[in-house]
CSV table of all heavy atoms in Angstrom, one decimal:
chain,number,residue,atom,x,y,z
A,214,ILE,N,123.9,97.9,97.0
A,214,ILE,CA,124.9,97.4,97.9
A,214,ILE,C,125.9,96.6,97.1
A,214,ILE,O,125.6,95.7,96.3
A,214,ILE,CB,124.3,96.4,99.0
A,214,ILE,CG1,123.4,97.3,99.9
A,214,ILE,CG2,125.5,95.8,99.8
A,214,ILE,CD1,122.7,96.4,101.0
A,215,GLU,N,127.2,96.9,97.3
A,215,GLU,CA,128.2,96.3,96.4
A,215,GLU,C,128.5,94.9,96.9
A,215,GLU,O,128.5,94.5,98.0
A,215,GLU,CB,129.5,97.0,96.5
A,215,GLU,CG,129.5,98.4,95.9
A,215,GLU,CD,129.2,98.4,94.4
A,215,GLU,OE1,129.6,97.4,93.7
A,215,GLU,OE2,128.6,99.5,93.9
A,216,PRO,N,128.5,93.9,95.9
A,216,PRO,CA,128.9,92.5,96.3
A,216,PRO,C,130.3,92.4,96.9
A,216,PRO,O,131.2,93.1,96.6
A,216,PRO,CB,128.7,91.8,94.9
A,216,PRO,CG,129.0,92.8,93.9
A,216,PRO,CD,128.4,94.1,94.4
A,217,GLU,N,130.4,91.4,97.8
A,217,GLU,CA,131.7,91.1,98.4
A,217,GLU,C,131.8,89.7,98.8
A,217,GLU,O,130.7,89.1,99.3
A,217,GLU,CB,131.8,92.1,99.7
A,217,GLU,CG,133.2,92.1,100.2
A,217,GLU,CD,133.3,93.2,101.2
A,217,GLU,OE1,132.4,94.0,101.4
A,217,GLU,OE2,134.3,93.2,101.9
A,218,ASN,N,132.9,89.1,98.6
A,218,ASN,CA,133.1,87.7,98.8
A,218,ASN,C,132.0,86.9,98.0
A,218,ASN,O,131.9,87.2,96.8
A,218,ASN,CB,133.1,87.3,100.2
A,218,ASN,CG,134.3,88.0,101.0
A,218,ASN,OD1,135.2,88.5,100.4
A,218,ASN,ND2,134.2,88.0,102.3
A,219,GLN,N,131.3,85.9,98.7
A,219,GLN,CA,130.4,85.2,97.9
A,219,GLN,C,129.0,85.8,98.0
A,219,GLN,O,128.0,85.2,97.5
A,219,GLN,CB,130.3,83.7,98.5
A,219,GLN,CG,129.6,83.6,99.8
A,219,GLN,CD,130.6,83.7,101.0
A,219,GLN,OE1,131.6,84.4,100.9
A,219,GLN,NE2,130.3,82.9,102.0
A,220,TYR,N,128.9,87.0,98.6
A,220,TYR,CA,127.6,87.7,98.8
A,220,TYR,C,127.2,88.7,97.7
A,220,TYR,O,128.1,89.5,97.4
A,220,TYR,CB,127.6,88.3,100.2
A,220,TYR,CG,127.8,87.3,101.3
A,220,TYR,CD1,129.0,87.2,101.9
A,220,TYR,CD2,126.8,86.4,101.7
A,220,TYR,CE1,129.2,86.3,102.9
A,220,TYR,CE2,126.9,85.5,102.8
A,220,TYR,CZ,128.2,85.5,103.3
A,220,TYR,OH,128.4,84.5,104.3
A,221,GLN,N,126.0,88.7,97.2
A,221,GLN,CA,125.5,89.6,96.2
A,221,GLN,C,125.2,90.9,96.9
A,221,GLN,O,125.5,92.0,96.4
A,221,GLN,CB,124.3,89.0,95.5
A,221,GLN,CG,124.5,87.8,94.8
A,221,GLN,CD,125.4,87.9,93.6
A,221,GLN,OE1,125.4,88.9,92.9
A,221,GLN,NE2,126.4,87.0,93.5
A,222,CYS,N,124.6,90.9,98.0
A,222,CYS,CA,124.1,92.1,98.9
A,222,CYS,C,124.4,91.8,100.3
A,222,CYS,O,123.4,91.4,101.1
A,222,CYS,CB,122.7,92.4,98.5
A,222,CYS,SG,122.3,93.4,97.1
A,223,PRO,N,125.6,91.8,100.8
A,223,PRO,CA,125.9,91.4,102.2
A,223,PRO,C,125.2,92.2,103.3
A,223,PRO,O,125.3,93.5,103.2
A,223,PRO,CB,127.4,91.4,102.3
A,223,PRO,CG,127.8,92.4,101.2
A,223,PRO,CD,126.8,92.4,100.1
A,224,ILE,N,124.6,91.6,104.2
A,224,ILE,CA,124.1,92.2,105.4
A,224,ILE,C,124.6,91.5,106.6
A,224,ILE,O,124.4,90.2,106.7
A,224,ILE,CB,122.5,92.2,105.5
A,224,ILE,CG1,121.9,92.8,104.2
A,224,ILE,CG2,122.0,92.9,106.7
A,224,ILE,CD1,122.1,94.4,104.2
A,225,THR,N,125.2,92.1,107.5
A,225,THR,CA,125.7,91.4,108.8
A,225,THR,C,124.6,91.5,109.8
A,225,THR,O,124.2,92.6,110.1
A,225,THR,CB,127.0,92.1,109.3
A,225,THR,OG1,127.9,92.1,108.2
A,225,THR,CG2,127.6,91.3,110.5
A,226,VAL,N,124.2,90.4,110.4
A,226,VAL,CA,123.1,90.3,111.3
A,226,VAL,C,123.7,89.9,112.7
A,226,VAL,O,124.4,88.8,112.8
A,226,VAL,CB,122.0,89.4,110.8
A,226,VAL,CG1,120.9,89.4,111.8
A,226,VAL,CG2,121.6,89.7,109.5
A,227,GLN,N,123.4,90.6,113.8
A,227,GLN,CA,123.7,90.2,115.1
A,227,GLN,C,122.4,89.9,115.9
A,227,GLN,O,121.5,90.8,115.9
A,227,GLN,CB,124.5,91.3,115.8
A,227,GLN,CG,124.9,91.0,117.2
A,227,GLN,CD,125.4,92.2,118.0
A,227,GLN,OE1,124.8,93.3,117.9
A,227,GLN,NE2,126.5,92.1,118.6
A,228,ASN,N,122.3,88.8,116.4
A,228,ASN,CA,121.1,88.4,117.2
A,228,ASN,C,121.6,88.2,118.6
A,228,ASN,O,122.3,87.3,118.8
A,228,ASN,CB,120.4,87.2,116.6
A,228,ASN,CG,120.0,87.3,115.1
A,228,ASN,OD1,119.3,88.2,114.8
A,228,ASN,ND2,120.4,86.4,114.3
A,229,ILE,N,120.9,88.8,119.6
A,229,ILE,CA,121.2,88.7,120.9
A,229,ILE,C,119.9,88.5,121.7
A,229,ILE,O,119.0,89.2,121.6
A,229,ILE,CB,121.9,89.9,121.5
A,229,ILE,CG1,123.1,90.3,120.7
A,229,ILE,CG2,122.5,89.6,122.9
A,229,ILE,CD1,123.9,91.6,121.1
A,230,ASP,N,119.9,87.5,122.6
A,230,ASP,CA,118.8,87.4,123.6
A,230,ASP,C,119.4,87.8,124.9
A,230,ASP,O,120.4,87.3,125.4
A,230,ASP,CB,118.4,85.8,123.7
A,230,ASP,CG,117.6,85.4,122.4
A,230,ASP,OD1,117.4,86.3,121.5
A,230,ASP,OD2,117.1,84.3,122.5
A,231,PHE,N,118.6,88.8,125.6
A,231,PHE,CA,119.0,89.2,126.9
A,231,PHE,C,117.9,88.8,127.9
A,231,PHE,O,116.8,88.6,127.6
A,231,PHE,CB,119.1,90.8,126.9
A,231,PHE,CG,120.2,91.4,126.0
A,231,PHE,CD1,119.8,92.0,124.9
A,231,PHE,CD2,121.5,91.3,126.5
A,231,PHE,CE1,120.7,92.7,124.1
A,231,PHE,CE2,122.4,91.9,125.6
A,231,PHE,CZ,122.1,92.5,124.5
A,232,ILE,N,118.3,88.6,129.2
A,232,ILE,CA,117.4,88.4,130.2
A,232,ILE,C,117.5,89.7,131.2
A,232,ILE,O,118.6,89.9,131.7
A,232,ILE,CB,117.6,87.2,131.0
A,232,ILE,CG1,117.3,85.9,130.2
A,232,ILE,CG2,116.7,87.2,132.3
A,232,ILE,CD1,115.8,85.8,129.8
A,233,ILE,N,116.4,90.5,131.4
A,233,ILE,CA,116.5,91.7,132.2
A,233,ILE,C,115.4,91.6,133.1
A,233,ILE,O,114.4,90.9,133.1
A,233,ILE,CB,116.4,92.9,131.2
A,233,ILE,CG1,115.0,93.0,130.6
A,233,ILE,CG2,117.4,92.9,130.2
A,233,ILE,CD1,114.8,94.3,129.9
A,234,ASP,N,115.5,92.5,134.2
A,234,ASP,CA,114.4,92.7,135.1
A,234,ASP,C,114.0,94.1,135.3
A,234,ASP,O,113.1,94.5,136.1
A,234,ASP,CB,114.8,92.1,136.5
A,234,ASP,CG,116.1,92.6,137.1
A,234,ASP,OD1,116.5,93.7,136.6
A,234,ASP,OD2,116.6,91.9,137.9
A,235,ASP,N,114.7,95.0,134.6
A,235,ASP,CA,114.4,96.4,134.6
A,235,ASP,C,114.2,97.0,133.2
A,235,ASP,O,115.3,97.3,132.6
A,235,ASP,CB,115.5,97.2,135.3
A,235,ASP,CG,115.2,98.7,135.6
A,235,ASP,OD1,114.3,99.2,134.9
A,235,ASP,OD2,115.8,99.2,136.5
A,236,LEU,N,113.0,97.0,132.7
A,236,LEU,CA,112.8,97.4,131.3
A,236,LEU,C,113.1,98.8,131.0
A,236,LEU,O,113.8,99.1,130.0
A,236,LEU,CB,111.3,97.1,130.9
A,236,LEU,CG,110.9,97.5,129.5
A,236,LEU,CD1,111.7,96.7,128.5
A,236,LEU,CD2,109.4,97.2,129.3
A,237,GLU,N,112.8,99.7,131.9
A,237,GLU,CA,113.1,101.1,131.7
A,237,GLU,C,114.6,101.3,131.5
A,237,GLU,O,115.0,102.1,130.7
A,237,GLU,CB,112.4,102.0,132.9
A,237,GLU,CG,112.7,103.4,132.7
A,237,GLU,CD,112.1,104.2,133.8
A,237,GLU,OE1,111.4,103.7,134.7
A,237,GLU,OE2,112.3,105.5,133.8
Side-chain angles (χ1 to χ4, degrees):
I214 295 180
E215 294 298 332
E217 194 169 348
N218 297 346
Q219 73 268 35
Y220 300 102
Q221 298 295 317
C222 274
I224 305 290
T225 305
V226 184
Q227 180 193 47
N228 301 308
I229 311 175
D230 288 1
F231 298 105
I232 294 293
I233 64 171
D234 53 20
D235 187 339
L236 179 59
E237 181 179 356

